[in-house]
Each structure stands twice: as structure tokens, then as C-alpha cells.
Amino acid sequence: MSTSDPYIFATSHAESIVKGLKISALPVNPRRVAEELDFVVQAKPVEDRGCSGMLVRYGNNFAIAYATHLQNEGFENFSIAHELGHYYIPGHPEALIPGEQGTHVSRAGFNSGDRYEAEADRFAAGFLMPRHLFFPELEKAGKGLEAIEVLSFLCKTSLHATAIRFAQCTRDHMAIVISEGGTVDHCFMSEALKQVRGIDWLRKGQGLPACSSTLAFNRDPDRIAHAERVQDFSNLQDWFGGRRTIEIREDVVGLGSYGKTLTVLYDIDVPEEEDEDDESRLIDSWTPSFRS
Ligand SMILES: [Zn+2]
């Protein structure tokens, strides 16, 4: 997310709490943190699909219940960290559980239009993948889907959440795209890619490029369900428009029971602006000026 993200403070708040807790290595274990706060932490039955988790308050006692239907340890950690967000972010406990007792039901996972849910999601990402611990590991992890898998394993986070955090923290030109069928569900571009002039930002609901491996992959739901993967080449222009036809890499993986597909676009070798300016000056200097 860009610095214009109105919820970015929740990520920074989580990072400062991790520092305050003197956690100095990954993974951050949200269950342990909750238990050290004397919270009861409980798994919900697998059949219970209605929400990602719940925060229950009874006076000064809290309990967290988290969903297990996706059978994904990363998602469970994210759900617990999301509930911790509702406890730690100033204003949340009072707004979500007014009075001395009650329950807040959560829908974690980056797609909520609700301000409190969005803030708790940003908190969870910053809590499980705080930049000061995550970035040094990112630099060692390599690139593409393989790097995201290394970090997902290290942080015990889902591929989806790790991919988004990777795009937020990397200095490279890259983007991650979550898609379903023929359309983009959401896309996170790295800051470096956002700075490239003359390209369009990929938007929710936009069609996938006709010739992309991602679109071909999405035609077969079994490949998504079985978390199959494809590595291919693609083109910057096909995804982001603009006038440059630059070959890029396209890694694709099915996200299993989540039912969506993760695409990682990377190895985007954008020419330096100065080189391009030199080129256009050269062209200008060779262009005769005609007078009528
Ligand atoms: Zn929530």
C-alpha cells in the first residue's frame, strides 16, 4: 500500500508493539502473545465457516476464538493477530464491545470495507511481519513466488498475506495480483513500480490479460484447488499498459480452498529515466525542424 493508505498507522502500531514486547526474531507467535495477556485462545470447529474469529470480553477478561475451516496455519495466525489488533488499536475495544461485556465477530482478510476490520487486518500484517524483522529476511529470500514461500514458511503466514507484505516492503519493481476467473480481485504494486511513469495501476474488476498464464490457469478450478503452480514469462505492457514492451516473469499458484489465484509479477527491468531522457534528447537532436 502507498503512504496514502489511511489505515497504515495500524501497521506501524503493530510494529511498535512487537518491538515493545522485545520480540527479536521471526516468527512472531500471536497465540503466545495473547496467552501472555491471559487471554483464552480457542479454535472454532472446522464446520464453523461464518467468520474469521471473535473477540469476547467479560469485564477485564478477554478470549479469542479463531476459525479453522481453511485448515491453513497462516490464516489462523492472521485471525488471532487480527483480534489482538482489536485489543491494541486505540478506540477499538470501546467501539466494538461497548460496555463491560460482549462479542465482536470478525471477517479478516483484506477485503472488508469496514474501517475497524481494515485496521485490524493492517495490524495483523504488521504484527506477524514487522518491517524491521521482515525486510532483512526479504533481502535474503530471493525473488518471485519462491521468495514469498520462503518468507511464508518463516513467518508462519499465508501465501496471500505474505505476498501483500512482500509487495509493500520490497525495493524492487514487482506486483502481486489476486484473481478469480477472468478478473483481478486485487493487486498490490511495489512502491518502485508505482513510480514508473506511463503505466496504469491494475484495478479491482479489471480483466486479466488475454494471453497471460494466469487467465489460462484460472480456467481449470482443479488447478486452483490443488495449489498447482506455473512459472512463465509475460510482458509489462500486457498487465500495465504503457509504451514499453518489457519481458517480465509471471509465477502463478492456486490458493487452494480460498478459491483464488496468486500471481507474482517480477524481474521487471525498467530502464533508468535518465537513459530514456538521453534517448529522447538524441532523437530530438536528429529531428529536423521544418518551417512552412
Ligand atoms: Zn475484526
Side-chain angles (χ1 to χ4, degrees), residues 45-105:
V46 176
E47 312 78 61
D48 198 346
R49 298 170 163 268
C51 64
S52 66
M54 296 193 298
L55 181 67
V56 183
R57 179 177 186 183
Y58 189 80
N60 288 327
N61 298 313
F62 287 87
I64 288 174
Y66 61 93
T68 56
H69 62 272
L70 291 180
Q71 301 194 287
N72 177 323
E73 185 191 20
F75 183 73
E76 290 168 14
N77 280 332
F78 194 88
S79 300
I80 298 170
H82 174 108
E83 300 308 329
L84 283 174
H86 288 320
Y87 172 75
Y88 276 118
I89 301 169
H92 276 226
E94 301 80 0
L96 299 176
I97 309 177
E100 283 296 289
Q101 63 186 72
T103 300
H104 164 72
V105 178

Side-chain angles (χ1 to χ4, degrees), residues 8 30 40 48 56 61 72 93 96 133 138 155-156 172 192 240 243 260 269 286:
I8 198 76
V40 175
D48 198 346
V56 183
N61 298 313
N72 177 323
L96 299 176
L133 301 179
L138 179 153
C155 300
K156 299 197 188 303
D172 291 342
F240 301 101
R243 59 189 174 86
K260 295 179 183 178
D269 193 9
W286 281 89

Side-chain angles (χ1 to χ4, degrees), residues 21 23 25-36 73 77 80-81 84 127-128 155-156:
L21 291 169
I23 297 169
L26 297 168
V28 177
N29 184 335
R31 175 194 289 268
R32 190 180 304 149
V33 172
E35 286 172 349
E36 280 169 7
E73 185 191 20
N77 280 332
I80 298 170
L84 283 174
F127 193 79
L128 300 172
C155 300
K156 299 197 188 303

Side-chain angles (χ1 to χ4, degrees), residues 81-273:
H82 174 108
E83 300 308 329
L84 283 174
H86 288 320
Y87 172 75
Y88 276 118
I89 301 169
H92 276 226
E94 301 80 0
L96 299 176
I97 309 177
E100 283 296 289
Q101 63 186 72
T103 300
H104 164 72
V105 178
S106 285
R107 285 175 181 78
F110 292 101
N111 272 324
S112 175
D114 179 84
R115 175 198 139 193
Y116 292 102
E117 294 299 87
E119 288 176 358
D121 280 347
R122 301 300 195 287
F123 180 96
F127 193 79
L128 300 172
M129 295 168 279
R131 189 182 291 264
H132 64 284
L133 301 179
F134 187 76
F135 185 72
E137 298 298 339
L138 179 153
E139 291 217 294
K140 285 188 266 175
K143 52 192 178 178
L145 178 61
E146 278 176 24
I148 290 166
E149 285 177 319
V150 166
L151 294 165
S152 152
F153 183 76
L154 180 68
C155 300
K156 299 197 188 303
T157 42
S158 69
L159 274 186
H160 181 196
T162 314
I164 292 171
R165 196 72 181 124
F166 193 101
Q168 288 172 336
C169 293
T170 185
R171 290 180 183 154
D172 291 342
H173 297 101
M174 65 89 70
I176 68 105
V177 182
I178 301 292
S179 63
E180 192 171 12
T183 53
V184 173
D185 194 87
H186 53 276
C187 168
F188 283 76
M189 295 162 72
S190 68
E191 275 307 318
L193 187 59
K194 286 180 192 168
Q195 302 303 323
V196 173
R197 283 190 292 184
I199 63 169
D200 299 319
W201 291 22
L202 213 51
R203 306 284 179 191
K204 186 179 178 70
Q206 207 170 312
L208 291 167
C211 49
S212 63
S213 292
T214 304
L215 183 60
F217 185 90
N218 283 358
R219 289 198 182 104
D220 184 353
D222 279 350
R223 302 186 80 182
I224 300 166
H226 295 134
E228 283 187 31
R229 59 197 56 219
V230 172
Q231 286 196 306
D232 205 350
F233 290 91
S234 189
N235 196 294
L236 184 72
Q237 200 174 38
D238 291 343
W239 288 89
F240 301 101
R243 59 189 174 86
R244 302 180 181 92
T245 56
I246 297 172
E247 189 179 74
I248 63 173
R249 299 297 306 262
E250 177 184 0
D251 291 353
V252 185
V253 63
L255 294 178
S257 51
Y258 184 49
K260 295 179 183 178
T261 300
L262 166 65
T263 302
V264 187
L265 303 170
Y266 64 104
D267 265 359
I268 304 173
D269 193 9
V270 180
E272 296 282 331
E273 301 282 356

